[in-house]
Each structure stands twice: as structure tokens, then as C-alpha cells.
Amino acid sequence: MSDTIFALSSGSPPAAIGVVRVSGPAAGAALTALSGTLPQPRRASYRALRATDGAVLDQALVLWFPGPNTATGEDLAELHLHGGRAVVAAVEAALLDLDGLRRAEPGEFTRRAFAHGRIDLAEAEGLADLLSAETELQRRSALAMAGGAFSRQVEQWRDRVLVASAAVEAVLDFGDEDDVSDLPSDFLSRLTDLRGELQAWLSRPRAEALREGFRVVLAGPPNAGKSTLFNALVEDEAAITSPLAGTTRDVLTRAVSIGGVPFLFGDTAGLRDETGDEIEAIGISRALAELSKADLVLWLGPEGEGPDDAWEVAPQADVFHVEHKASPRHRISAVTGEGLDALRKDLIETASVAMPKPGEAALNRRQYALMAEAERALGHATLERDPLLVAEALRLARVAFDALIGRATTEDMLDALFGRFCIGK
């Protein structure tokens, strides 16, 4: 990382202000080249920015942050420009003319922060989720992860495993190598308590539910009113509605937020046993596959014929000739709005239980898998009698904890993570 990178770190122009960030060993020289002199550290200075030929590019506020106590862990400069396209483009062109500077890749500033120990891997993952957060629940959960709450917990768990490992090493060095009876009397209870804490975290709602939304699939036979209800729930004419059976041929999904809770609603092809239409048959097959992935199915078909645990919904409550259900969970009319508020309220309450609590850090797939490895290793450690095997199980737990916060990881995984960030982050 000997080169120096720069990028627009604020929103795309035109805007009131455009912030260009420069990070790397030549950041100070670049700031001096454009503004004349290096300003006092961490104090905004008003300067005229000039190109190499002396032409004025902009009147801007500039800031200088000498490393390593910066966001990236290296020398850092910021140029707060007027946010017009031409101004930003001219300043970027002037930076490109300087030796040793290049444009940043997506997520490269954050990757440098990780490489220099300013943040760990779990915090970086939380920051990526924070940048993509669209609901209040997503924002608060991502903020907890980005703020280091989970990382501090992992470090505490790791320290407890290190203490246990030290006790086992003492037995191996000075005790009876064939038995663990010389270990402290509370050794097993401490490991059991730690394992219980991991199991409690593993039982929490996962980050995917928060990121992807609570999956609600509308299902039933053709012309049951699925697409009309789908449009009402997403508050958009997303699905084509028609009195003709088989209008919906494929799965249509739409992510929306209701009451601050993220949902992913799915409209599916009408389900029936036989169809002479090959395309409709494919749609039915995809609809059945979608049902298997749903967190909740709203069943608009004949009562009792839907999937297990599906909500019985009586649609078209405004149409008198429709055969209504005897005991539906909800009776609605997407046309008049009858029952829709009650359905939405029920959906919010149900989804909220499946979501992480507000402000609670939630595990993603990678973190869940590693924590499960640590939990299994601790389980083995409590069962073994041979100190060597206990020591190995504790080592595997430490390895999993290290991978959780990025002490041990792979370049491919890092490329995938930091590729989620925008150019200037």
C-alpha cells in the first residue's frame, strides 16, 4: 500500500459540497501541491486550490490528518469543494497529474483501515451493512456491529478461552499427562457457561432476515386475488391484475418497509393441478419453490388446502358471490381497503419477533458458521479426558474467534467484502 489513493467521498455532483479524500504517503505532498502549504493538523483552513499551471480550481476548505491516528491509519487529506461536476472533475484531474496518486477502488479506504488495525473484520461488515441500510431496524443493527459491540464480545470470549488454554498447558507441563483431574475445579463449568453464551447468540435471529427482509409469499389458485393484494401491500401497481386465470406466470418480488420493518413480498402463479400451458406450468413450479423459502405464506385459496403454518386469508371481502372462509386469520378487500390495516399490523408484529431486536448486533452467515465452529470445539473440550485433545479443541475455538474479527482470513473473502463498498468509502 505504498501508493496514494483519492476519491469523491460525498454524494454524486451536483451538490452543495463535494468532499474529496486523499489517503497514503503522498497525501501531504498532494495537499501542499494544490493549496500551497500544509495546514495545521485537524483544523479546517480556507485555501485556493491551484492546478500545476497555477490556474485556480476552487476556493475550498482543506483538512490535514497525519497518520497513524486517522480513519485509514495513514496520512489523510480532505478537500471540501463546491459540489459542481466541473469543479470536482477539475480537482480530480489535478490530483491525477501528481506523482504517486491514483483513483481508489471500491471499498479501498475501508480496506486500508482494516489493514492498519483501525477497524476489525466484524466492524467492516457492520459498516457495509450500515451503508446499505434502508430501514431503522437495519440501521440500528448495523450500527451496533460497526461500533464494535460484537468485536468486544468476541475478544472477551477469546480471553476466557486463553485462560482455559493456559490451565491445560500447566497440566501438560507439570501434571499427570494422562488425565485432566489436575485442572481447576471450576474448569468445566467455565467452559460450559461460555458455550451456553455462544448457543444463546446462535439462537438469535440472523442478519440475513434483516438485510433481505421477512419473506411473505402470497399463494392460492388462479384468480384468488393474490396480485391485487400484492399491489396493495407494496403500495404500487407492480403486478398485472386481470380477470383472466393464469395472468401471473412468474414469481414477482418487491422489497418494502412497513412500520420500519423490512419485508420481501412475493406474488406467485396461481396453483392448480393441471394446466395445458407449458409456461404456466413453469410458473406453478417456481411458485411451489418460492413457498419453501418463505418465512410466511398468506394462503388465499380454499380453507385448509394451504401449506402448514400458512395464514388463512379471506380475500375479496367486498364480493358477495365469493365463497368465504369460515375462520380466516384475516378477512380483507384489497379494493376497498377493508382489513388491510389489521393485516399489516399483524405482519409487523410477527416479523418483528423474527428480526434482531432494535440495536442488537446480528450474525451473518460467515459469522454464524464460525461461531458454530467455536461452540462445537468447546463442546469437545468439555467431553475429552486427554489434556492434549482438550488443548487442541480450545485452539480450534481460538482460531474461530480470530477468524470472526479478521485475525485470520483470506484475500478472496476480503475482496468480496470490500467490493460491497462504494468508491469513496
Side-chain angles (χ1 to χ4, degrees), residues 234-254:
V234 303
E235 297 184 346
D236 189 16
E237 295 299 315
I240 299 173
T241 58
S242 166
L244 297 176
T247 300
T248 302
R249 299 297 189 95
D250 204 348
V251 176
L252 178 64
T253 59
R254 181 63 61 88

PDB file of all heavy atoms in Angstrom, residues 234-254:
ATOM      1  N   VAL A 234     -47.590  -3.628  -1.263  1.00  0.00           N
ATOM      2  CA  VAL A 234     -46.376  -2.901  -1.655  1.00  0.00           C
ATOM      3  C   VAL A 234     -46.693  -1.476  -2.081  1.00  0.00           C
ATOM      4  O   VAL A 234     -45.788  -0.703  -2.401  1.00  0.00           O
ATOM      5  CB  VAL A 234     -45.613  -3.638  -2.787  1.00  0.00           C
ATOM      6  CG1 VAL A 234     -45.277  -5.051  -2.362  1.00  0.00           C
ATOM      7  CG2 VAL A 234     -46.391  -3.632  -4.097  1.00  0.00           C
ATOM      8  N   GLU A 235     -47.993  -1.150  -2.103  1.00  0.00           N
ATOM      9  CA  GLU A 235     -48.475   0.196  -2.464  1.00  0.00           C
ATOM     10  C   GLU A 235     -47.937   0.636  -3.818  1.00  0.00           C
ATOM     11  O   GLU A 235     -47.407   1.725  -3.985  1.00  0.00           O
ATOM     12  CB  GLU A 235     -48.110   1.195  -1.366  1.00  0.00           C
ATOM     13  CG  GLU A 235     -48.763   0.880  -0.033  1.00  0.00           C
ATOM     14  CD  GLU A 235     -48.476   1.922   1.034  1.00  0.00           C
ATOM     15  OE1 GLU A 235     -47.557   2.747   0.833  1.00  0.00           O
ATOM     16  OE2 GLU A 235     -49.169   1.925   2.062  1.00  0.00           O
ATOM     17  N   ASP A 236     -48.081  -0.260  -4.787  1.00  0.00           N
ATOM     18  CA  ASP A 236     -47.632   0.036  -6.148  1.00  0.00           C
ATOM     19  C   ASP A 236     -48.318  -0.951  -7.084  1.00  0.00           C
ATOM     20  O   ASP A 236     -48.642  -2.082  -6.689  1.00  0.00           O
ATOM     21  CB  ASP A 236     -46.111  -0.125  -6.256  1.00  0.00           C
ATOM     22  CG  ASP A 236     -45.557   0.369  -7.580  1.00  0.00           C
ATOM     23  OD1 ASP A 236     -46.280   1.103  -8.287  1.00  0.00           O
ATOM     24  OD2 ASP A 236     -44.409   0.025  -7.905  1.00  0.00           O
ATOM     25  N   GLU A 237     -48.532  -0.531  -8.320  1.00  0.00           N
ATOM     26  CA  GLU A 237     -49.115  -1.432  -9.311  1.00  0.00           C
ATOM     27  C   GLU A 237     -48.014  -2.286  -9.919  1.00  0.00           C
ATOM     28  O   GLU A 237     -47.754  -2.266 -11.127  1.00  0.00           O
ATOM     29  CB  GLU A 237     -49.845  -0.617 -10.395  1.00  0.00           C
ATOM     30  CG  GLU A 237     -51.047   0.142  -9.880  1.00  0.00           C
ATOM     31  CD  GLU A 237     -52.114  -0.784  -9.299  1.00  0.00           C
ATOM     32  OE1 GLU A 237     -52.424  -1.818  -9.928  1.00  0.00           O
ATOM     33  OE2 GLU A 237     -52.625  -0.484  -8.202  1.00  0.00           O
ATOM     34  N   ALA A 238     -47.353  -3.052  -9.069  1.00  0.00           N
ATOM     35  CA  ALA A 238     -46.203  -3.843  -9.512  1.00  0.00           C
ATOM     36  C   ALA A 238     -46.622  -5.073 -10.295  1.00  0.00           C
ATOM     37  O   ALA A 238     -45.939  -5.504 -11.221  1.00  0.00           O
ATOM     38  CB  ALA A 238     -45.366  -4.263  -8.298  1.00  0.00           C
ATOM     39  N   ALA A 239     -47.756  -5.676  -9.921  1.00  0.00           N
ATOM     40  CA  ALA A 239     -48.218  -6.894 -10.576  1.00  0.00           C
ATOM     41  C   ALA A 239     -49.401  -6.576 -11.485  1.00  0.00           C
ATOM     42  O   ALA A 239     -50.255  -5.748 -11.162  1.00  0.00           O
ATOM     43  CB  ALA A 239     -48.630  -7.927  -9.529  1.00  0.00           C
ATOM     44  N   ILE A 240     -49.449  -7.237 -12.623  1.00  0.00           N
ATOM     45  CA  ILE A 240     -50.567  -7.085 -13.550  1.00  0.00           C
ATOM     46  C   ILE A 240     -51.761  -7.853 -13.000  1.00  0.00           C
ATOM     47  O   ILE A 240     -51.649  -9.021 -12.623  1.00  0.00           O
ATOM     48  CB  ILE A 240     -50.196  -7.614 -14.951  1.00  0.00           C
ATOM     49  CG1 ILE A 240     -49.021  -6.818 -15.524  1.00  0.00           C
ATOM     50  CG2 ILE A 240     -51.392  -7.566 -15.882  1.00  0.00           C
ATOM     51  CD1 ILE A 240     -48.491  -7.376 -16.825  1.00  0.00           C
ATOM     52  N   THR A 241     -52.900  -7.192 -12.914  1.00  0.00           N
ATOM     53  CA  THR A 241     -54.113  -7.855 -12.445  1.00  0.00           C
ATOM     54  C   THR A 241     -55.096  -7.968 -13.599  1.00  0.00           C
ATOM     55  O   THR A 241     -55.200  -7.070 -14.431  1.00  0.00           O
ATOM     56  CB  THR A 241     -54.763  -7.083 -11.291  1.00  0.00           C
ATOM     57  OG1 THR A 241     -55.070  -5.747 -11.721  1.00  0.00           O
ATOM     58  CG2 THR A 241     -53.820  -7.009 -10.094  1.00  0.00           C
ATOM     59  N   SER A 242     -55.810  -9.101 -13.648  1.00  0.00           N
ATOM     60  CA  SER A 242     -56.739  -9.357 -14.741  1.00  0.00           C
ATOM     61  C   SER A 242     -57.730 -10.421 -14.309  1.00  0.00           C
ATOM     62  O   SER A 242     -57.389 -11.304 -13.506  1.00  0.00           O
ATOM     63  CB  SER A 242     -55.975  -9.818 -15.997  1.00  0.00           C
ATOM     64  OG  SER A 242     -56.859 -10.368 -16.953  1.00  0.00           O
ATOM     65  N   PRO A 243     -58.980 -10.381 -14.803  1.00  0.00           N
ATOM     66  CA  PRO A 243     -59.929 -11.448 -14.501  1.00  0.00           C
ATOM     67  C   PRO A 243     -59.578 -12.762 -15.184  1.00  0.00           C
ATOM     68  O   PRO A 243     -60.153 -13.807 -14.874  1.00  0.00           O
ATOM     69  CB  PRO A 243     -61.261 -10.894 -15.016  1.00  0.00           C
ATOM     70  CG  PRO A 243     -60.874  -9.899 -16.066  1.00  0.00           C
ATOM     71  CD  PRO A 243     -59.596  -9.287 -15.579  1.00  0.00           C
ATOM     72  N   LEU A 244     -58.617 -12.744 -16.103  1.00  0.00           N
ATOM     73  CA  LEU A 244     -58.220 -13.957 -16.803  1.00  0.00           C
ATOM     74  C   LEU A 244     -57.341 -14.815 -15.898  1.00  0.00           C
ATOM     75  O   LEU A 244     -56.379 -14.333 -15.297  1.00  0.00           O
ATOM     76  CB  LEU A 244     -57.454 -13.618 -18.089  1.00  0.00           C
ATOM     77  CG  LEU A 244     -58.239 -12.844 -19.160  1.00  0.00           C
ATOM     78  CD1 LEU A 244     -57.318 -12.495 -20.312  1.00  0.00           C
ATOM     79  CD2 LEU A 244     -59.428 -13.672 -19.642  1.00  0.00           C
ATOM     80  N   ALA A 245     -57.647 -16.092 -15.811  1.00  0.00           N
ATOM     81  CA  ALA A 245     -56.850 -17.008 -14.999  1.00  0.00           C
ATOM     82  C   ALA A 245     -55.468 -17.186 -15.611  1.00  0.00           C
ATOM     83  O   ALA A 245     -55.311 -17.236 -16.833  1.00  0.00           O
ATOM     84  CB  ALA A 245     -57.556 -18.363 -14.886  1.00  0.00           C
ATOM     85  N   GLY A 246     -54.447 -17.299 -14.748  1.00  0.00           N
ATOM     86  CA  GLY A 246     -53.088 -17.553 -15.228  1.00  0.00           C
ATOM     87  C   GLY A 246     -52.360 -16.315 -15.686  1.00  0.00           C
ATOM     88  O   GLY A 246     -51.363 -16.413 -16.408  1.00  0.00           O
ATOM     89  N   THR A 247     -52.819 -15.113 -15.281  1.00  0.00           N
ATOM     90  CA  THR A 247     -52.137 -13.881 -15.692  1.00  0.00           C
ATOM     91  C   THR A 247     -50.718 -13.838 -15.139  1.00  0.00           C
ATOM     92  O   THR A 247     -49.769 -13.471 -15.823  1.00  0.00           O
ATOM     93  CB  THR A 247     -52.932 -12.654 -15.217  1.00  0.00           C
ATOM     94  OG1 THR A 247     -54.232 -12.685 -15.805  1.00  0.00           O
ATOM     95  CG2 THR A 247     -52.228 -11.372 -15.623  1.00  0.00           C
ATOM     96  N   THR A 248     -50.552 -14.202 -13.851  1.00  0.00           N
ATOM     97  CA  THR A 248     -49.217 -14.225 -13.240  1.00  0.00           C
ATOM     98  C   THR A 248     -48.525 -15.520 -13.623  1.00  0.00           C
ATOM     99  O   THR A 248     -48.992 -16.610 -13.314  1.00  0.00           O
ATOM    100  CB  THR A 248     -49.319 -14.108 -11.708  1.00  0.00           C
ATOM    101  OG1 THR A 248     -50.010 -12.900 -11.375  1.00  0.00           O
ATOM    102  CG2 THR A 248     -47.941 -14.090 -11.079  1.00  0.00           C
ATOM    103  N   ARG A 249     -47.382 -15.394 -14.327  1.00  0.00           N
ATOM    104  CA  ARG A 249     -46.669 -16.569 -14.824  1.00  0.00           C
ATOM    105  C   ARG A 249     -45.373 -16.830 -14.072  1.00  0.00           C
ATOM    106  O   ARG A 249     -44.819 -17.919 -14.159  1.00  0.00           O
ATOM    107  CB  ARG A 249     -46.340 -16.377 -16.313  1.00  0.00           C
ATOM    108  CG  ARG A 249     -47.571 -16.207 -17.208  1.00  0.00           C
ATOM    109  CD  ARG A 249     -48.454 -17.454 -17.181  1.00  0.00           C
ATOM    110  NE  ARG A 249     -49.501 -17.410 -18.170  1.00  0.00           N
ATOM    111  CZ  ARG A 249     -49.426 -17.962 -19.378  1.00  0.00           C
ATOM    112  NH1 ARG A 249     -48.331 -18.587 -19.740  1.00  0.00           N
ATOM    113  NH2 ARG A 249     -50.448 -17.902 -20.211  1.00  0.00           N
ATOM    114  N   ASP A 250     -44.856 -15.835 -13.378  1.00  0.00           N
ATOM    115  CA  ASP A 250     -43.562 -15.982 -12.720  1.00  0.00           C
ATOM    116  C   ASP A 250     -43.665 -15.409 -11.307  1.00  0.00           C
ATOM    117  O   ASP A 250     -44.659 -14.793 -10.940  1.00  0.00           O
ATOM    118  CB  ASP A 250     -42.475 -15.248 -13.506  1.00  0.00           C
ATOM    119  CG  ASP A 250     -41.086 -15.810 -13.260  1.00  0.00           C
ATOM    120  OD1 ASP A 250     -40.934 -16.609 -12.324  1.00  0.00           O
ATOM    121  OD2 ASP A 250     -40.158 -15.432 -13.989  1.00  0.00           O
ATOM    122  N   VAL A 251     -42.635 -15.616 -10.511  1.00  0.00           N
ATOM    123  CA  VAL A 251     -42.595 -15.054  -9.163  1.00  0.00           C
ATOM    124  C   VAL A 251     -42.175 -13.589  -9.271  1.00  0.00           C
ATOM    125  O   VAL A 251     -41.157 -13.272  -9.875  1.00  0.00           O
ATOM    126  CB  VAL A 251     -41.601 -15.827  -8.277  1.00  0.00           C
ATOM    127  CG1 VAL A 251     -41.493 -15.174  -6.905  1.00  0.00           C
ATOM    128  CG2 VAL A 251     -42.024 -17.277  -8.141  1.00  0.00           C
ATOM    129  N   LEU A 252     -42.987 -12.718  -8.702  1.00  0.00           N
ATOM    130  CA  LEU A 252     -42.686 -11.289  -8.676  1.00  0.00           C
ATOM    131  C   LEU A 252     -42.424 -10.895  -7.237  1.00  0.00           C
ATOM    132  O   LEU A 252     -43.256 -11.154  -6.360  1.00  0.00           O
ATOM    133  CB  LEU A 252     -43.861 -10.487  -9.239  1.00  0.00           C
ATOM    134  CG  LEU A 252     -43.715  -8.963  -9.239  1.00  0.00           C
ATOM    135  CD1 LEU A 252     -42.565  -8.541 -10.145  1.00  0.00           C
ATOM    136  CD2 LEU A 252     -45.011  -8.303  -9.692  1.00  0.00           C
ATOM    137  N   THR A 253     -41.261 -10.316  -6.956  1.00  0.00           N
ATOM    138  CA  THR A 253     -40.919  -9.928  -5.591  1.00  0.00           C
ATOM    139  C   THR A 253     -40.730  -8.420  -5.511  1.00  0.00           C
ATOM    140  O   THR A 253     -40.328  -7.778  -6.486  1.00  0.00           O
ATOM    141  CB  THR A 253     -39.640 -10.625  -5.102  1.00  0.00           C
ATOM    142  OG1 THR A 253     -38.546 -10.288  -5.967  1.00  0.00           O
ATOM    143  CG2 THR A 253     -39.824 -12.137  -5.072  1.00  0.00           C
ATOM    144  N   ARG A 254     -41.006  -7.893  -4.342  1.00  0.00           N
ATOM    145  CA  ARG A 254     -40.823  -6.459  -4.110  1.00  0.00           C
ATOM    146  C   ARG A 254     -40.461  -6.256  -2.635  1.00  0.00           C
ATOM    147  O   ARG A 254     -41.162  -6.754  -1.746  1.00  0.00           O
ATOM    148  CB  ARG A 254     -42.098  -5.698  -4.456  1.00  0.00           C
ATOM    149  CG  ARG A 254     -41.998  -4.185  -4.273  1.00  0.00           C
ATOM    150  CD  ARG A 254     -40.972  -3.565  -5.204  1.00  0.00           C
ATOM    151  NE  ARG A 254     -41.273  -3.756  -6.596  1.00  0.00           N
ATOM    152  CZ  ARG A 254     -42.037  -2.929  -7.314  1.00  0.00           C
ATOM    153  NH1 ARG A 254     -42.592  -1.883  -6.753  1.00  0.00           N
ATOM    154  NH2 ARG A 254     -42.234  -3.174  -8.593  1.00  0.00           N
TER     155      ARG A 254
END
